[in-house]
Amino acid sequence: MSQKPSIPQGTRDFTPLEMARRRYIFSTVERIFREFGFQQIETPSLENLSTLTGKYGDEGDTLLFKVLNSGDFLKKAPDILLEEKNSNRLIPHIADRGLRYDLTVPFARYVVMHQNEITFPFKRYQIQPVWRADRPQKGRYREFYQCDVDIVGSDSLIYEAELLCIYDRVFAAFNLPVQIRINNRKILEGIANQCGFKESFRSFTVIIDKLDKIGADKVKEELAALGGDANAAMLLLEKGALDKNYLSSLKERMHDVTGLKGLAELEEMLHYLSSYHAINEVVFDGTLARGLNYYTGTIYEVVASNVQMGSIGGGGRYDDLTGIFGLKGVSGVGISFGADRIYDVLLESDLFPDTVANSTQLLICPMEDSALGKAFEYAMQCRMAGISSEVYPQAAKLKKQLTYANNNQIAYAAILGEQELAAGKVALKNLQSGEQEIVDIESVIKKIKA
RNA sequence: GUGGUCGUAGCUCAAUUGGUUAGAGCGUCAGAUUGUGGUUCUGAAGGUCGUGGGUUCGAUUCCCAUCGAUCACCCCA
C-alpha cells in the first residue's frame, strides 16, 4: 500500500535552484556580519518550554510548537486535567519542550549559560530556522530562517548605529531598495506617560502600530477607548524624515523624563551616523512599536520599498532579557533578517543574479565502456586542478549525455571515444559556442581555467 | 484562532444550464540523426477530476464533510 506523500502545512522543499538562491542570501548576509566582527553560534531547534513561554506575549505562547514528552506521558498527567480536556492546562504536564520561536530568546539563554566563557561585549550572529504555529499566508511560513546579529554586554549606542549600517549594507548588496524605520520605545513610553496611557502601554503600542493600516481616525477612536488623551498623543506621533529639526520640535513638546531619554538616545545614534551616507531611506517613525515584549530602547523595522510584503527585518535594544534567566544588568541590542521574505521579495523584483547557480564546469562523456576508466581518471585530475567535473556514468548515446550537460548548465563536454582514447586526447566541446577541438587533458584544464 | 476564494496530466489552464471515450500548450520520454545538446519534425507515455460521503438513471459539474493551497483579519520575519 503506497500513500500519497505530503509535507506539513506551512513547510516547503527547496529545489537545487532555490537552494542556490537561498545560499546567495545567507552568504551575503554572513559576509557583512563578519565585516562587522560578529562570530557565529548555533543553538538547538528544541528548547525547554520554560525558556520560551512568556517571552513573546500571550499570542506568542499559543504560536509555539510544543513537543510531546517521550514515553507514556499521559500516565503522569493529573486525572482531573485529563477529564477537563483543557489543552492549555494539560500542556505543562505532557510537553516540556518546544521548537524555538525566534533566535533572540535562545541567545539570551545561551549568554546566561555561557557567561563565564564569554568576553563582553559579545557579538554573535546566528542563521537558523525558527517555527511558528501561525496560519500560513503570503510571506508567512511555519518554518522559516532568521539571520540574527546581536551584541550583549554593552549599552553603547555605537552598536545601534552599526546595526543600522548593517541593514543598509546588506540590502545595498542585494540591490533591493528598502525603507529602514527606527524609533525608540522610551519615546513611545514618554508619549504614553504624558498622555495618560501609562497603564495601558502595551495596548497603546499595538494600536499606534496599526496607523498605516487603519488610518488616523480609527487609531484615535481606539486610543480614546483606552481612556487617555488621544488627540495629544496623535500630535506627538509623527512619521517623518530623520532630521534634526523634527527631533528638536519633538523635544520641545516632550516633558516626560523617559521620553526625553529616548530622544537623547536617538540623537546620539544619529550623531554617530552623521559620517555614514546610507544608500537606503532611513526614517524616524513615531508609530513604529513592534509587538515583542522585551524591547526597551531603539527599535528597527525594514520594509521593501517597491514590493508589498510585511517587514523583512526587525530588531531593537533589550535591556534585561538575560535578567529573566538570572543574569542582571546585561543589555543587548540586535536585528534580524527574515530570509524567506527577502527571498520572496528578491524573486518578485527579479534581483537574483544569474550566476547564483554555479554548476559543474566539465562533463566527461565516455562513448565506449572501455573509456570509463580513463574518464574517471581524467575527472579526478580535473577536480584536483580545481575544476568541478562529472563523469557520465555509462557509455550512453552522446545525445543523451549532451542533453544531460545542457539541462545542468555544464559549460564544457569532453568526449572520450575510441579515437580519442587511442590518441590520448579528448574532444572538448564548448556547449555555449558549439566549438569543438581535439586536445589532451592538460590543455582541457588550462582552457577551462583561463 | 476567525472569515473569503480555489483544488482537473509534472507545470499553466480548458471541458457549452448534470450526459457516452476529460482536452490543449509547455515539459518528459522515444525516433528522424548507429559520435553531437540548446532549433525543427514525428510519435508515445502520463488523470482514482484533492479525499470521503450524499442527491441523481447518470456527477469533474449540485450538496455536506474533510484535507490542502491561497488571500484577508489577529499577530509577525
Side-chain angles (χ1 to χ4, degrees):
Chain A
M1 249 311 258
S2 74
Q3 59 169 38
K4 222 179 199 169
S6 64
I7 54 174
Q9 193 179 36
T11 65
R12 295 149 304 152
D13 287 328
F14 299 111
T15 62
L17 175 64
E18 286 167 331
M19 275 316 296
R21 290 173 167 163
R22 288 169 68 81
R23 238 187 306 113
Y24 165 71
I25 293 175
F26 295 138
S27 61
T28 302
V29 164
E30 201 167 4
R31 192 186 77 229
I32 288 165
F33 289 173
R34 293 223 181 106
E35 206 171 74
F36 282 78
F38 288 84
Q39 293 181 296
Q40 187 170 26
I41 67 159
E42 289 204 353
T43 62
S45 305
L46 288 172
E47 290 279 350
N48 291 326
L49 273 179
S50 56
T51 302
L52 302 175
T53 44
K55 313 299 188 297
Y56 311 104
D58 293 342
E59 186 97 15
D61 287 352
T62 67
L63 295 180
L64 282 171
F65 274 111
K66 292 108 187 159
V67 174
L68 286 174
N69 292 340
S70 314
D72 196 356
F73 51 85
L74 278 184
K75 229 173 213 166
K76 297 175 192 158
D79 292 339
I80 315 150
L81 291 178
L82 283 173
E83 272 167 45
E84 241 178 61
K85 292 189 176 176
N86 181 325
S87 308
N88 283 336
R89 295 187 47 179
L90 193 55
I91 283 168
H93 297 93
I94 61 173
D96 292 335
R97 288 151 299 186
L99 291 167
R100 75 166 98 79
Y101 179 89
D102 72 357
L103 300 178
T104 309
V105 168
F107 175 52
R109 191 228 76 220
Y110 174 97
V111 168
V112 175
M113 285 183 67
H114 296 264
Q115 50 184 288
N116 295 323
E117 321 151 23
I118 291 173
T119 305
F120 294 101
F122 180 45
K123 305 174 75 172
R124 85 87 172 78
Y125 74 88
Q126 192 170 350
I127 299 175
Q128 288 191 275
V130 302
W131 293 267
R132 294 183 190 177
D134 229 344
R135 184 176 287 204
Q137 57 177 273
K138 184 177 183 178
R140 176 178 296 180
Y141 307 99
R142 285 185 160 179
E143 178 184 57
F144 61 98
Y145 272 72
Q146 290 191 328
C147 315
D148 273 37
V149 254
D150 288 78
I151 307 104
V152 293
S154 167
D155 54 11
S156 169
L157 289 149
I158 283 269
Y159 288 127
E160 259 90 340
E162 281 194 356
L163 290 172
L164 192 133
C165 295
I166 290 179
Y167 264 147
D168 191 55
R169 302 254 311 136
V170 166
F171 290 108
F174 288 138
N175 281 314
L176 180 72
V178 295
Q179 186 184 60
I180 304 168
R181 300 170 179 166
I182 57 175
N183 194 8
N184 192 301
R185 292 281 280 211
K186 293 192 180 81
I187 298 176
L188 286 173
E189 267 179 61
I191 293 170
N193 291 349
Q194 194 165 313
C195 304
F197 296 99
K198 190 171 180 152
E199 305 307 316
S200 52
F201 181 60
R202 176 147 168 80
S203 308
F204 174 78
T205 60
V206 171
I207 292 168
I208 61 160
D209 202 35
K210 292 191 287 191
L211 187 75
D212 270 348
K213 210 178 254 177
I214 63 177
D217 292 342
K218 197 95 176 112
V219 166
K220 223 179 262 186
E221 206 175 285
E222 289 191 27
L223 284 182
L226 287 181
D229 186 343
N231 283 320
M234 290 300 286
L235 286 174
L236 293 167
L237 287 169
E238 283 176 47
K239 176 175 188 167
L242 197 47
D243 61 56
K244 284 193 174 129
N245 297 336
Y246 178 70
L247 287 180
S248 54
S249 108
L250 191 56
K251 201 150 77 178
E252 278 167 27
R253 291 177 286 155
M254 179 75 74
H255 313 301
D256 182 84
V257 184
T258 307
L260 285 169
K261 179 136 201 309
L263 278 166
E265 287 181 6
L266 189 59
E267 267 181 330
E268 187 180 339
M269 180 183 170
L270 291 180
H271 167 68
Y272 296 131
L273 285 167
S274 59
S275 63
Y276 178 73
H277 299 289
I279 291 164
N280 290 286
E281 188 190 2
V282 179
V283 298
F284 170 75
D285 181 354
T287 68
L288 174 63
R290 299 200 58 75
L292 295 181
N293 277 343
Y294 46 69
Y295 293 123
T296 52
T298 307
I299 46 180
Y300 308 81
E301 184 166 272
V302 181
V303 293
S305 303
N306 306 323
V307 178
Q308 197 69 34
M309 177 68 73
S311 59
I312 54 179
R317 164 77 62 180
Y318 40 91
D319 277 331
D320 204 29
L321 196 50
T322 57
I324 304 164
F325 301 117
L327 181 61
K328 301 268 182 209
V330 177
S331 183
V333 59
I335 56 173
S336 178
F337 292 79
D340 299 78
R341 283 189 177 175
I342 291 171
Y343 181 100
D344 290 345
V345 168
L346 290 179
L347 191 67
E348 200 174 321
S349 311
D350 199 20
L351 283 173
F352 280 111
D354 298 334
T355 50
V356 293
N358 60 3
S359 46
T360 304
Q361 292 164 281
L362 175 69
L363 178 70
I364 301 181
C365 306
M367 299 313 301
E368 330 277 341
D369 283 342
S370 58
L372 283 167
K374 203 68 188 171
F376 185 89
E377 184 188 326
Y378 282 162
M380 281 314 299
Q381 220 172 311
C382 291
R383 287 163 185 155
M384 286 190 280
I387 296 166
S388 59
S389 313
E390 292 183 56
V391 180
Y392 200 87
Q394 65 203 76
K397 282 181 188 159
L398 187 55
K399 179 189 164 96
K400 197 172 172 124
Q401 300 198 34
L402 290 179
T403 301
Y404 176 85
N406 201 56
N407 290 347
N408 288 294
Q409 282 145 3
I410 297 174
Y412 290 92
I415 301 158
L416 190 54
E418 220 171 333
Q419 297 154 29
E420 290 85 358
L421 215 48
K425 305 204 167 183
V426 299
L428 182 68
K429 184 182 176 86
N430 180 327
L431 290 178
Q432 267 127 49
S433 65
E435 284 166 22
Q436 189 168 324
E437 56 187 327
I438 309 288
V439 291
D440 60 22
I441 196 68
E442 284 78 18
S443 310
V444 169
I445 292 170
K446 227 179 273 172
K447 203 166 173 71
I448 296 179
K449 294 204 86 169

